[in-house]
């Protein structure tokens, strides 16, 4: 399971008398794999060189299985978010975009790498940004789901669009608000048709 370098590093460490810590996948006699958190302590002889080693190992197979399951679930969520045609985003309490999906990128005509960590004041011009920021602050204070319409501009095309915003608070394990999650639907065409009717 491991690269040979991990064993070379292990022996290089303990052969000079230093303690080694690491996680190792082992194979049991019946063939199944299991994980241990290991600490190897060298014991020096009269000449000062390691003469014996004490290994302390704790079985962490259940933790590793849980980590693998979580990684699979997070991978599924990433694929789900990016394949969803609705713009979805997550902000922290300071109003910074923590993550968003491909539909959000397309809606605003931006690239993800350049916009993570930015705020609505960077993304949306003028009064629209002031409105959206005020709505965020209201959501953080009252912890209630919001729905409203606001205009935004696609930075790539310059088109001004109407967005239907839906936002909800995100809470941590202690029940404290840690940010918000939102979606945006482009309702420009529906609004135009309604105005024509």
């Amino acid at each position: 399971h491991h690269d040979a370098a991990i064993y070379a590093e292990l022996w290089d460490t303990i052969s000079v008398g230093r303690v080694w810590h690491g996680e190792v996948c082992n194979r049991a006699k019946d063939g199944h794999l299991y994980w241990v958190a290991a600490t190897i302590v060298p014991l020096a002889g009269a000449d000062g060189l390691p003469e014996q080693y004490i290994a302390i190992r704790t079985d962490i197979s259940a933790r590793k299985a849980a980590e693998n399951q979580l990684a699979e679930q997070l991978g599924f969520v990433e694929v789900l978010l990016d394949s969803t045609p609705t713009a979805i985003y997550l902000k922290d309490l300071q109003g910074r975009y923590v993550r968003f999906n491909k539909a959000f990128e397309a809606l605003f005509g931006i690239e993800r790498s350049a916009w993570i960590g930015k705020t609505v004041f960077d993304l949306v011009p003028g009064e629209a940004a002031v409105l959206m920021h005020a709505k965020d602050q209201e959501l953080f204070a009252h912890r209630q789901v919001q729905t409203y319409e606001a205009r935004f501009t696609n930075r790539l095309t310059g088109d001004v669009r109407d967005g239907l915003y839906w936002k909800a608070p995100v809470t941590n394990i202690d029940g404290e608000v840690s940010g918000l999650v939102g979606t945006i639907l482009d309702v420009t065409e529906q609004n135009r048709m309604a105005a024509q009717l």
Side-chain angles (χ1 to χ4, degrees):
H1 182 85
H2 298 290
D3 187 300
I6 192 173
Y7 298 106
E9 188 253 331
L10 183 158
W11 284 109
D12 288 346
T13 302
I14 64 174
S15 64
V16 295
R18 292 196 318 263
V19 176
W20 182 86
H21 302 282
E23 294 181 355
V24 181
C25 183
N26 288 322
R27 184 178 305 279
K29 288 181 183 178
D30 66 4
H32 83 275
L33 298 177
Y34 67 98
W35 281 86
V36 295
T39 299
I40 302 175
V41 181
L43 301 175
D47 58 1
L49 296 174
E51 188 174 84
Q52 295 179 333
Y53 301 96
I54 295 176
I56 304 160
R57 304 182 327 154
T58 305
D59 190 329
I60 58 168
S61 301
R63 190 194 87 204
K64 283 291 191 179
E67 287 173 357
N68 288 339
Q69 185 179 14
L70 180 61
E72 287 175 12
Q73 290 172 349
L74 289 175
F76 171 74
V77 169
E78 284 297 319
V79 169
L80 182 64
L81 279 175
D82 268 346
S83 62
T84 300
T86 302
I88 302 171
Y89 61 96
L90 178 67
K91 287 184 182 180
D92 64 16
L93 285 174
Q94 287 71 45
R96 295 179 297 231
Y97 291 98
V98 177
R99 70 183 328 145
F100 45 79
N101 66 354
K102 287 181 181 177
F104 185 95
E105 287 181 270
L107 201 61
F108 284 94
I110 60 174
E111 287 187 34
R112 192 174 314 193
S113 59
W115 288 92
I116 295 296
K118 304 276 186 173
T119 70
V120 70
F121 293 106
D122 301 308
L123 189 60
V124 180
E127 289 301 312
V130 173
L131 167 73
M132 291 177 199
H133 178 71
K135 289 283 191 184
D136 290 353
Q137 296 309 306
E138 181 183 312
L139 182 142
F140 293 144
H142 301 292
R143 301 170 64 132
Q144 293 178 338
V145 172
Q146 295 176 342
T147 303
Y148 61 91
E149 283 192 30
R151 289 203 159 160
F152 63 90
T153 303
N154 183 294
R155 299 178 73 84
L156 195 61
T157 64
D159 290 343
V160 177
R161 312 294 292 175
D162 296 328
L164 176 61
Y165 287 74
W166 175 91
K167 297 178 183 178
V170 173
T171 56
N172 62 23
I173 197 164
D174 297 322
E176 299 165 343
V177 174
S178 59
L180 67 83
V181 63
T183 63
I184 309 168
L185 293 175
D186 186 339
V187 293
T188 307
E189 299 311 316
Q190 293 93 312
N191 287 353
R192 277 187 193 148
M193 288 171 37
Q196 287 173 355
L197 288 173

